Amino acid sequence: ETEAEISMIEAMFEGCRTQRDTGKTALSVPIEPVSTEALRRCSCVVHVEISEGYPGQAPSAAIESARGLVDKEENTILQRVRQVIRESGDERCLLGAISAGVEALSDVTAVPGDCPICLSPLDDSAEGFRAPCEHCFHGACLLRSRSYFLAEEAGDGAAASARAAADAEAQRLRAIEAELSQADARMAA
């Protein structure tokens, strides 16, 4: 029955890899959000290890190869996968666990998430930037970080003035973002 369950998952999820060793089977399932209209493009791999004692012995789960997710989001997905495994008792749970991962990934990508630099929420009113790794940043945060990096390369004397200029520019951009948000609120009222 375990082989039939694994075969069904392999048929449902493109790119699924199965590795069989003595006494255990490792299943790596690439997942993406259900909605094609997600605000962010994200993906990850749910990795499940199944022992010979399955379903009586619960499988272990991990998240690998995450793209466009911050640690908090990866943990949310992993917690949902593990919750399904825990709640399954002695029942078969592989498909349910993978499906919970897809649902959790869809949930976390339905909102813009947090800027990995300042850890503040990204929202529609802030100018954002999507990096090739699929992480999203506030434009002001990315500009400030870039200025800091360039200043560090130039040397200590230039670093302080570059930081001050970057902070001033970031503050100016935040003020513009706040003005735009207030204008939107007035227009909506």
Side-chain angles (χ1 to χ4, degrees):
E1 290 181 31
T2 300
E3 285 303 317
E5 189 176 14
I6 291 171
S7 293
M8 183 170 52
I9 292 169
E10 289 172 331
M12 292 175 67
F13 294 92
E14 188 176 326
C16 182
R17 294 184 327 267
T18 306
Q19 183 177 0
R20 292 170 177 82
D21 288 327
T22 305
K24 69 177 182 177
T25 301
L27 187 63
S28 296
V29 184
I31 62 171
E32 294 180 347
V34 173
S35 173
T36 58
E37 296 182 23
L39 296 175
R40 296 180 291 140
R41 292 183 305 244
C42 300
S43 64
C44 64
V45 173
V46 176
H47 181 80
V48 181
E49 289 199 7
I50 309 137
S51 69
E52 287 181 345
Y54 174 77
Q57 184 177 357
S60 64
I63 300 295
E64 301 174 343
S65 305
R67 289 186 51 87
L69 299 169
V70 294
D71 291 344
K72 179 175 74 173
E73 295 166 329
E74 287 180 47
N75 288 333
T76 297
I77 296 165
L78 183 57
Q79 286 173 3
R80 291 233 205 129
V81 169
R82 288 179 174 167
Q83 179 182 2
V84 168
I85 291 170
R86 252 190 330 275
E87 292 174 354
S88 70
D90 290 343
E91 300 291 319
R92 298 194 173 280
C93 62
L94 297 179
L95 182 57
I98 303 300
S99 296
V102 171
E103 182 180 314
L105 180 61
S106 298
D107 289 347
V108 300
T109 58
V111 295
D114 295 337
C115 172
I117 296 172
C118 71
L119 303 178
S120 296
L122 293 162
D123 56 30
D124 294 334
S125 65
E127 179 183 334
F129 173 79
R130 183 190 313 271
C133 62
E134 301 300 337
H135 285 92
C136 297
F137 303 89
H138 291 117
C141 293
L142 199 56
L143 177 65
R144 186 173 57 245
S145 292
R146 182 177 182 276
S147 295
Y148 285 171
F149 177 73
L150 292 173
E152 290 298 322
E153 283 186 343
D156 292 337
S161 63
R163 281 190 192 110
D167 286 340
E169 180 64 13
Q171 187 174 5
R172 186 182 72 78
L173 289 173
R174 280 194 296 273
I176 291 170
E177 290 171 353
E179 287 176 23
L180 290 173
S181 292
Q182 290 172 358
D184 287 345
R186 284 192 302 270
M187 290 177 71

